[in-house]
Amino acid sequence: CTKKDDFTFNTDLALDSRFIILNAPADTTKIVVYSDHNWIMENRDNASWITVRKGSGNGTEYAIVAVTANTSDYARASTLLFKSGGKTDTLKLGQRGVITPTIAITATTVSPAAAGDAVSTAINTNLPLNVMNVSYSEDGSSWISGLAIADNNLTFNVAANTTSAARSSKIYLSYLDILGTTAKDSLTVNQIAP
């Protein structure tokens, strides 16, 4: 029988997180830095909303950062850079905006006239159309136009159907914020044959 030696963990640099997301109000957070050396943390992007409260240490310790309140509707993010023993590592620090992105189209399907039509359907969203990704299935972008959002209504125009068959397309609205939060919905447009 042989005795095994105790194992000792050594590291130049490691972090307990890769991504921290804070809510919109002002806040402070701690990041565990594992190191066998002196280490430093920097606000790599010089984000004005981040204050480094404790940005250096020796060995395993907490790094501490504070964020101001995010009064914007939208989320924000920045990168913190850590250095120790010739190694570097990063952590993404994000903060939610005042709103939670929402896109909810009331109708699931609309059926405009074969001769063409102006369509309006209710939508619940706190995002302007210019920050959304808009796409169409099939060839919908060739006969659906003028997409707009105003007064809680999604409006658009449908061209006359000059083909000999009914046609269908789906309008997709989506939004992906900097923190990975997704809001999305879709509407099917079924236009009968002339």
Side-chain angles (χ1 to χ4, degrees), residues 39-53:
W39 56 266
I40 61 168
M41 174 187 61
E42 300 170 359
N43 179 351
R44 185 182 80 182
D45 303 329
N46 294 317
S48 60
W49 53 278
I50 298 174
T51 301
V52 175
R53 293 264 172 91

Side-chain angles (χ1 to χ4, degrees), residues 26-99:
D27 203 353
T28 300
T29 190
K30 295 177 179 180
I31 302 126
V32 178
V33 180
Y34 301 96
S35 180
D36 294 331
H37 309 284
N38 291 328
W39 56 266
I40 61 168
M41 174 187 61
E42 300 170 359
N43 179 351
R44 185 182 80 182
D45 303 329
N46 294 317
S48 60
W49 53 278
I50 298 174
T51 301
V52 175
R53 293 264 172 91
K54 182 178 179 203
S56 63
N58 185 343
T60 299
E61 294 186 42
Y62 285 114
I64 302 173
V65 294
V67 297
T68 60
N70 186 359
T71 57
S72 166
D73 285 345
Y74 305 107
R76 58 189 179 184
S78 188
T79 301
L80 301 174
L81 178 67
F82 295 81
K83 298 177 184 178
S84 177
K87 303 284 184 182
T88 61
D89 206 346
T90 58
L91 179 138
K92 189 171 185 180
L93 180 64
Q95 188 177 23
R96 290 183 175 90
V98 174
I99 65 170

Side-chain angles (χ1 to χ4, degrees), residues 1 11 17 35 56 63 79 104 109 119 149 154 190-191:
C1 183
T11 186
S17 298
S35 180
S56 63
T79 301
T109 304
V119 177
I149 296 175
L154 173 65
N190 292 323
Q191 189 177 32

